[in-house]
Amino acid sequence: QVQLVESGGGLVQPGGSLRLSCAASGSIFSIYTVDWYRQAPGKARDLVAGITSGGSTNYADSVKGRFTISRDNAKNTVYLQMNSLKPEDTAVYYCNAVHRFLSSRSYWGQGTQVTVSS
């Protein structure tokens, strides 16, 4: 079992920055792919960024050049550094961990609210 806890959300002005954290417990975190998703009110949950167990990353076009995903396996934590934030980035951000070899094992965190507003 893996338990995930997101943190770092809050209220920020346009152009500002936030760093989200996804902390894991209960298993060997290094063997999991971890993705960040976001969901705005009335909209679908969309993939924002992902990082594999080997460190490969991918990003949604809407955040490329502004967001950076990274992981520290020693700390069982994945980060999402968000720079140059825009109002359209406002959403609840969730992390999701998928077992590298057993993809049916997938775990979600509770989400953290990010609000970008002047």
Side-chain angles (χ1 to χ4, degrees):
Q1 297 291 331
V2 174
Q3 294 182 340
L4 304 176
V5 178
E6 300 97 330
S7 62
L11 175 64
V12 65
Q13 294 181 336
S17 298
L18 285 173
R19 188 193 192 195
L20 305 184
S21 297
C22 176
S25 63
S27 189
I28 302 175
F29 194 53
S30 61
I31 63 175
Y32 286 81
T33 291
V34 179
D35 300 316
W36 283 98
Y37 291 78
R38 67 186 181 188
Q39 187 168 25
K43 298 183 178 180
R45 187 174 298 186
D46 295 326
L47 178 66
V48 176
I51 185 165
T52 69
S53 61
S56 297
T57 61
N58 66 280
Y59 301 91
D61 288 341
S62 59
V63 306
K64 286 181 179 178
R66 300 189 297 121
F67 291 11
T68 302
I69 189 171
S70 62
R71 68 191 301 160
D72 186 340
N73 289 331
K75 297 181 178 179
N76 287 345
T77 302
V78 168
Y79 305 97
L80 185 66
Q81 179 66 47
M82 306 186 297
N83 299 325
S84 302
L85 284 163
K86 305 174 181 179
E88 50 263 45
D89 295 319
T90 296
V92 177
Y93 284 71
Y94 301 88
C95 62
N96 174 248
V98 180
H99 196 284
R100 178 180 178 183
F101 304 113
L102 302 172
S103 60
S104 62
R105 297 186 179 183
S106 179
Y107 305 90
W108 289 92
Q110 84 290 344
T112 185
Q113 176 71 49
V114 172
T115 302
V116 185
S117 176
S118 60

